[in-house]
Every structure is written in structure tokens, then in C-alpha cells.
Amino acid sequence: MIIDCHGHYTTAPGELHVFRDAQLAALRDPRGVVVEAPRISDDQIRDSLEKAQIKLQRERGSDLTIFSPRASAMSHHLGNEAASLQWARVCNDLIYRACELYPDNFVGVCQLPQSPGVAPGRSAAELERCVRELGFIGCNLNPDPSGGYWTSPPLSDRQWYPLYQKMVELDVPAMVHVSSSCNPNFHGTGAHYLNADTTAFMQFLTSDLFKDFPTLRFIIPHGGGAVPYHWGRYRGLAQDMKRPPLEELMKNVYFDTCVYHLPGIELLFKVVPVENILFGSEMVGAVRGIDVRTGQHYDDTKRYVDALALSEADRRLVYSANTRRVFPRLDALLKKRGR
Amino acid sequence: MIIDCHGHYTTAPGELHVFRDAQLAALRDPRGVVVEAPRISDDQIRDSLEKAQIKLQRERGSDLTIFSPRASAMSHHLGNEAASLQWARVCNDLIYRACELYPDNFVGVCQLPQSPGVAPGRSAAELERCVRELGFIGCNLNPDPSGGYWTSPPLSDRQWYPLYQKMVELDVPAMVHVSSSCNPNFHGTGAHYLNADTTAFMQFLTSDLFKDFPTLRFIIPHGGGAVPYHWGRYRGLAQDMKRPPLEELMKNVYFDTCVYHLPGIELLFKVVPVENILFGSEMVGAVRGIDVRTGQHYDDTKRYVDALALSEADRRLVYSANTRRVFPRLDALLKKRGR
């Protein structure tokens, strides 16, 4: 069984974006308009998935995608807390419906209703709703709800602790995932995403967060940003700063395989313990084209993993066992279904 | 001959920092105190270099270091434009003296007197002074003088053009190098540096800067940040965005070898054209420890490069020819000296 730990609903019906635009426009309207949740039919959902994610699952040979709302559209920097909450609920409810329609193909991870300057703990209720009522197994946590100005405290700050307490209580991990950038310095998928990954790792390395929360787990996507390429730098920095060795940190931190070429994947597996690598493709996502050199999609990361000389045991770790360990609610769900 | 393109005067005598502290304190003093440049003797300079950079050059087998003021201490976010100018002049003058004392060991690259919100073109005069009067061969350009809040325009913005015009006129390249971070989200050497490298590359990729300045050249340090690890992502993004292929961009952009482990260096050489790689170590710099696994310094990057199966021609490119090509004033200087 092959589980893709990183998929977004980037192909959601246009009604969703019409709603978001109307919602944000209403915030600027002094009359205080209320915008209703969009009406999207089951057929629309089916159509949007079957010709995209499900088709690609079939073509590429993955079975189940851990599925969350489009990351770039979370745009926590827009609107206010109430708007973020309504938007998160609408997006999460849509993910729920996708998972209900295709329970073998998708399992849900939620968007949090974060907003700049708002205590992260206020996202705990939506997380709990998604996990307890909608059967979701984790969340995407935005380390920079300002969208590229980095005005929130680091992930190690105690302001985040109420949210972490809820994650621990529910036994769900978070993928550290920023949204789009409104800072003209940062291209979204080409800079902001990778920078956030790198930044989060260093925040973890320099803090005692996992002493306070020994069972808290984070997935750093996009292959860990710059981290594996600079693994020696991080080992050396940890040593110079008299921090524990990276092995200690890697009890709580995991990387996905969203690295879009073989040499990058080779490096990832060379330096990062295989127990910490979760298969992921980010499809349909950041890079959609076909590499003219190989004739294959850049984001068909399974090809790169398959090209490695991994033992069967290691392959099983990366394709399913690690992910089931990091997402215990997924493991329980699959066991219940006899998978 | 082995040229290290990336070395900072991180071991400057303490008087330099006493000066900087006094200078910044004076700015807060309503009496308007003038702080004089620090008095540092030739012997102090000799002592600070011979037991550090020069010793390491000898031990590791490099010949000449392209030498600039300590990057983390540039701290353009502190003080104001006048303070940045005085601080840059003091630091650059000290580099000049180091290069005069050890002309075989060092050649100068200058710190620019940038300040947040100040037009970058106002740094052109100090660049010109350093190149024409002090014999410097390039500059370090800070893409984020705010120190981690990224409030300046991207490097592709026309606000930077007057500085670029001066660089082109003088035929000197810039290393894109941030200073310390005052944003608690970003560890300096573990996040801010690498993020800036990644960010700059994507700014270049998405702009027509090099159409406007075909001979402008940038070195992106720290092995190009996250870029080589995500080379497939960048190739795919360029393709999706209908930008020219990366080969086109690499006529103006170069990476150094400040990657502190062999697998990272292997990846760099696997994906980036050898013509675009300049040997660098960043010593004495970000990571100073000895790797207990190898018994060698993390930042002894020459060991990693030497461990590669490079042809003699490629080795010469990386160790000297590329650097002489990117820094024509260095090439002229060395030719004049018969090297």
C-alpha cells in the first residue's frame, strides 16, 4: 500500500474561489453582508478529482492521499479571524466530502483558522471538530500567517502551546505549511515554501519544544526545505550551540519526498534516517509540467523513490509504515478496514 | 592556485566591536556625540589573522581568500544611513589594511552602507571608493537590510538599478549576502542566510534583470541555499512560468561551495554546471566545530571538493578559473603579479 502524505485539493470547483472572493469583498462592505457557503454538488467534486488527483493516483500507482485544502489559498493574511474560521470550515467541509465520496483514495487533514496576531490556541476548536466529527487525521499549521512578513512568534514560543496541547490530546501531527506570500520578495512555491521549511527546522533545533511535548510530531514538507542539502551545517550548528545531536530532534520531525528530481531524492535518503521520510508528491501542486528530458512529470516523486536501491523493508517504511506511525489515527482507520 | 571566494573577517580585534557599540549608543544620545574610528595596530591585525584565517589557509591548502567584513556584523537594520556609511567605511578600511599586510593571502570585497528604506544607489559611492581607491574586486549586497522582515523591494526592482549600473561600470560582481536577523523567527546562519540565497535565486528566475544588465554577476553563497537540492522544482517552475531554462539564468549567477558535508557537495556538482561553482569555505564563519565522525572541520570544504572525481580541468575551474572570470579585477591583479 502506497500512501502519499502530501496532497492538496488544488482542483476544487470554481464556486469555492467565487465564495472566497465574495467573503473578502463583504469584509470591505460597510453594510455587513453575510456570504453563504458555496453550493457545490457531489458530481462537481467527483469531476474535479477524477480527472486530476484520482487519475494521477492510478497512473502513478499510489493508493491513498492524505488530503488537505489548497495551501496557497489558505491566505491567513487576508480578512480577519472570523473570515479565516469561516473559510477554514468551508474548505475542510469540502475535504470531508471528497473523503466521503472516495474513502479509499483520500483521508482528511485540515486547514486551521489562523489569523495574524490571533492566539494560535484559538485554532484548537476547528482542529478538534475536524478530527472528532469529520474523521481527519492531522492539520496543516502555518508558521507565518502574515504571508511573508514573519510577524508571529517562532513555533517554539509558548503562544503556540495551547494548539500543541490539543494536537497531543488528539494524537495528530501537523505539517508545517505556509500559504501564499503577499511579500513581493518571496515567490510562493519557489521561495516562501522552502524558506518556511528551513526556518521551522532551525526553530525546532534551537528550542526545547520537544522536551515540553515529547509526543508532538511535525512533518516538514518539500523534502525539509534546504535542510538535507545542508545537513552538515545543521549537525555542526547543533554541535557548536551545544544542542542535542540531530538524531534527537528527528524523534519528532519528519520530511516528505516532495523533491522533484532524482539527485535531490538520493541526497535526502543518503543523509536523513529512512524512518523520518514519508512519501509525498504534493500533487496536483507546485509544479505541474512534464520534464522534457525524462518525458515524466516533475512531481511524479514515486519514480525517484522507486529508482533508489532501497530494501523492501525500507521501501515499506517510506511508502506506508512511517506515515501510519506519524498519523496514528490513519493507522487505526486502516486497521479497522483491514488494510 | 586555490582561491576561496568567501571569507569574512570574523576575527577582527575587539576594538572594532567596541566602536560599533559606541557608535550605536551615540545615536541614542541626544547630545550628538561623534565616535571616532577605532585605533587598531598592524600587530593586532596580524595577530587576529595569523592564528585564524592564515593558519587555516596553510593547514587546508588554499592560497588566496576573497575577504570581506563579517557579514553578520553588517547589521544594516541598526542605526541609520549615516551610521551604516561610517560603519562600512571602518570595516572596509580594516579589510584594506589586512589585504595590504598580506597581499598574497587576501583580496578585498566590501560591505555596502545599506540602510532600510534608503535607495540602494546611495551605496554606489562607497563601492566606487573601495574598488578604485582600495583595490577591492567586488561587494557583498544585502537583499534584506531590514534584517529578517524583508521590507525592501526584490533584487529585480528598478530601485536597485543605480547600484547595478555602478557594478557594471566597475566590472565587479556582488555576493548576495544578508546580515544577522533581528526577527526571532530566523536563526542567522541556520535559516536567514539560506532563505536569502533561495529567495534571491527565485527573484532572478522570475525577472528580466539580466536582459537589462547582461554583464551583471551575482554569487549566491552557501551553495545556493536550497536551490541545488530543489533543482528539479526550479526547472519545473521556470518551465511552467514560461521563463527561459535555468541554463540561461546561469550566465549571470554563481554558487559557492559552502556546503558542509560531502553528500551536499556531490549534489551541487551533479546538478549545477561546473562553470557556475566557485570554491568557498566561509571560514572562519558559520560553523567552527570539528565533526566527531570525520575528525575534520565541518567548514573544510576543500576536503569535500577534493573527494570528488573531477577532471583536472574542472578542478581548475572551481578552484580558480571560474572565480577569476567572475572577478575580472582579481584576474587582472593576479596577471600583473604573474600568477
Side-chain angles (χ1 to χ4, degrees):
Chain A
M1 179 176 193
I2 294 179
I3 305 169
D4 183 336
C5 80
H6 187 176
H8 299 297
Y9 196 2
T10 47
T11 58
E15 281 79 355
L16 186 68
H17 308 293
V18 172
F19 161 77
R20 176 62 164 167
D21 292 344
Q23 187 211 31
L24 293 173
L27 285 177
R28 298 186 292 268
D29 188 328
R31 290 170 299 176
V33 192
V34 174
V35 180
E36 298 294 336
R39 289 171 188 234
I40 294 171
S41 70
D42 283 356
D43 276 349
Q44 282 179 290
I45 297 176
R46 283 193 196 97
D47 185 57
S48 71
L49 292 169
E50 285 190 3
K51 65 187 184 197
Q53 287 84 356
I54 291 175
K55 175 169 167 278
L56 292 174
Q57 282 180 338
R58 200 176 306 124
E59 284 174 8
R60 300 180 183 181
S62 71
D63 298 297
L64 177 72
T65 298
I66 296 181
F67 204 48
S68 60
R70 183 176 201 151
S72 65
M74 298 191 296
S75 49
H76 294 118
H77 57 282
L78 301 177
N80 55 27
E81 185 186 5
S84 273
L85 180 57
Q86 190 192 19
W87 177 228
R89 291 185 72 117
V90 163
C91 290
N92 292 332
D93 288 349
L94 202 60
I95 293 292
Y96 171 71
R97 290 176 62 198
C99 297
E100 287 291 295
L101 287 171
Y102 300 98
D104 289 339
N105 297 81
F106 301 111
V107 61
V109 148
C110 71
Q111 166 178 337
L112 295 175
Q114 296 175 251
S115 194
V118 172
R122 293 180 63 93
S123 288
E126 175 64 4
L127 172 61
E128 182 150 33
R129 179 184 83 92
C130 290
V131 173
R132 293 210 196 273
E133 296 175 26
L134 309 186
F136 285 20
I137 60 168
C139 60
N140 290 337
L141 184 152
N142 185 345
D144 172 31
S146 78
Y149 290 97
W150 293 90
T151 52
S152 289
L155 294 175
S156 49
D157 191 278
R158 289 184 169 265
Q159 286 190 38
W160 293 93
Y161 278 25
L163 181 58
Y164 298 158
Q165 275 152 5
K166 185 56 71 181
M167 286 169 58
V168 167
E169 178 198 320
L170 297 169
D171 203 11
V172 296
M175 179 173 279
V176 179
H177 206 310
V178 285
S179 186
S180 58
S181 157
C182 61
N183 186 328
N185 279 286
F186 302 127
H187 184 273
T189 50
H192 191 42
Y193 280 22
L194 304 177
N195 292 352
D197 304 334
T198 308
T199 299
F201 186 81
M202 198 61 194
Q203 291 178 358
F204 296 145
L205 189 155
T206 51
S207 81
D208 288 325
L209 177 59
F210 301 118
K211 275 195 187 154
D212 291 340
F213 294 100
T215 63
L216 190 64
R217 300 177 301 283
F218 289 104
I219 300 119
I220 301 186
H222 322 109
V227 174
Y229 178 47
H230 289 283
W231 198 245
R233 173 176 284 252
Y234 289 100
R235 288 187 57 233
L237 284 170
Q239 187 177 315
D240 283 2
M241 298 167 83
K242 307 208 188 311
R243 299 290 310 166
L246 299 189
E247 291 70 31
E248 196 62 31
L249 189 59
M250 298 309 279
K251 292 176 182 167
N252 302 81
V253 175
Y254 302 83
F255 298 154
D256 73 13
T257 63
C258 296
V259 176
Y260 296 154
H261 62 151
L262 181 58
I265 290 285
E266 285 173 339
L267 174 78
L268 172 66
F269 279 80
K270 208 179 279 180
V271 298
V272 173
V274 69
E275 291 77 15
N276 293 84
I277 304 175
L278 314 188
F279 173 67
S281 73
E282 206 184 351
M283 66 97 167
V284 180
V287 175
R288 306 190 181 200
I290 289 174
D291 186 346
V292 287
R293 287 195 205 156
T294 63
Q296 306 297 342
H297 284 92
Y298 288 101
D299 68 356
D300 187 358
T301 54
K302 185 165 169 292
R303 285 181 183 273
Y304 313 132
V305 177
D306 284 344
L308 301 175
L310 293 180
S311 69
E312 258 319 298
D314 284 353
R315 195 172 299 275
R316 204 171 306 123
L317 285 177
V318 172
Y319 278 137
S320 67
N322 289 341
T323 306
R324 292 174 74 143
R325 184 161 41 83
V326 175
F327 291 89
R329 284 178 177 267
L330 172 63
D331 188 54
L333 188 80
L334 293 174
K335 278 187 178 139
K336 214 170 78 181
R337 293 186 192 158
R339 291 177 84 177
Chain B
M1 179 175 195
I2 294 179
I3 305 169
D4 183 337
C5 80
H6 187 175
H8 299 296
Y9 196 2
T10 46
T11 57
E15 281 79 356
L16 186 67
H17 309 293
V18 171
F19 162 77
R20 176 63 165 168
D21 292 345
Q23 186 212 32
L24 293 173
L27 285 178
R28 297 185 293 269
D29 188 327
R31 291 171 300 177
V33 192
V34 173
V35 180
E36 297 294 336
R39 290 170 188 237
I40 294 172
S41 70
D42 282 356
D43 277 349
Q44 282 178 291
I45 296 174
R46 284 194 196 96
D47 185 57
S48 70
L49 292 169
E50 286 191 1
K51 66 188 185 198
Q53 286 84 355
I54 291 175
K55 175 169 168 279
L56 292 173
Q57 282 180 340
R58 201 175 307 123
E59 285 175 7
R60 301 180 183 181
S62 70
D63 298 296
L64 176 72
T65 299
I66 297 182
F67 205 47
S68 61
R70 181 177 203 151
S72 65
M74 297 189 299
S75 47
H76 294 119
H77 57 282
L78 300 177
N80 54 28
E81 185 185 4
S84 274
L85 179 58
Q86 189 191 20
W87 177 228
R89 290 185 73 114
V90 164
C91 291
N92 292 332
D93 288 347
L94 202 59
I95 293 292
Y96 170 71
R97 291 176 61 198
C99 297
E100 287 290 295
L101 287 170
Y102 299 98
D104 289 340
N105 298 80
F106 301 110
V107 61
V109 148
C110 71
Q111 166 178 336
L112 296 175
Q114 296 175 251
S115 193
V118 172
R122 294 180 62 93
S123 288
E126 175 63 4
L127 172 62
E128 182 149 33
R129 180 184 81 93
C130 290
V131 173
R132 293 210 195 273
E133 296 174 27
L134 310 185
F136 285 20
I137 59 168
C139 61
N140 290 336
L141 183 153
N142 185 346
D144 172 32
S146 77
Y149 290 97
W150 293 90
T151 52
S152 289
L155 294 176
S156 50
D157 192 278
R158 289 185 168 265
Q159 285 191 37
W160 294 93
Y161 278 25
L163 181 57
Y164 299 158
Q165 275 152 5
K166 185 57 70 181
M167 286 169 56
V168 167
E169 178 197 320
L170 297 169
D171 203 11
V172 296
M175 179 173 279
V176 179
H177 206 309
V178 286
S179 186
S180 58
S181 157
C182 62
N183 185 329
N185 279 286
F186 302 127
H187 184 273
T189 50
H192 191 41
Y193 281 22
L194 304 178
N195 291 352
D197 304 334
T198 308
T199 299
F201 185 82
M202 197 63 194
Q203 290 177 359
F204 296 145
L205 189 155
T206 51
S207 81
D208 288 326
L209 177 58
F210 301 118
K211 274 195 189 156
D212 291 341
F213 295 100
T215 63
L216 190 64
R217 300 177 300 283
F218 291 103
I219 301 120
I220 300 186
H222 321 110
V227 173
Y229 178 46
H230 289 283
W231 198 246
R233 171 176 287 252
Y234 290 100
R235 288 186 57 233
L237 284 170
Q239 187 178 315
D240 284 2
M241 298 166 83
K242 308 207 187 312
R243 298 289 312 164
L246 299 189
E247 291 69 32
E248 196 62 31
L249 189 60
M250 299 310 278
K251 292 177 182 167
N252 302 81
V253 175
Y254 302 83
F255 298 155
D256 74 13
T257 63
C258 295
V259 176
Y260 295 155
H261 63 152
L262 181 57
I265 291 286
E266 286 173 339
L267 175 78
L268 172 66
F269 280 79
K270 208 178 280 180
V271 299
V272 173
V274 70
E275 292 77 15
N276 293 84
I277 303 175
L278 314 187
F279 173 67
S281 73
E282 206 185 349
M283 66 95 166
V284 180
V287 175
R288 305 189 182 201
I290 289 174
D291 186 346
V292 287
R293 288 195 205 156
T294 62
Q296 305 298 343
H297 284 91
Y298 288 100
D299 68 356
D300 186 359
T301 55
K302 185 163 168 293
R303 286 181 182 273
Y304 313 133
V305 177
D306 284 343
L308 301 176
L310 293 180
S311 69
E312 259 318 298
D314 284 353
R315 195 172 300 274
R316 204 171 307 122
L317 285 178
V318 172
Y319 278 136
S320 67
N322 290 340
T323 307
R324 291 174 76 143
R325 183 161 41 85
V326 175
F327 292 88
R329 284 178 177 267
L330 172 62
D331 188 55
L333 189 79
L334 292 175
K335 278 187 179 140
K336 213 169 78 181
R337 292 187 194 157
R339 292 178 81 177

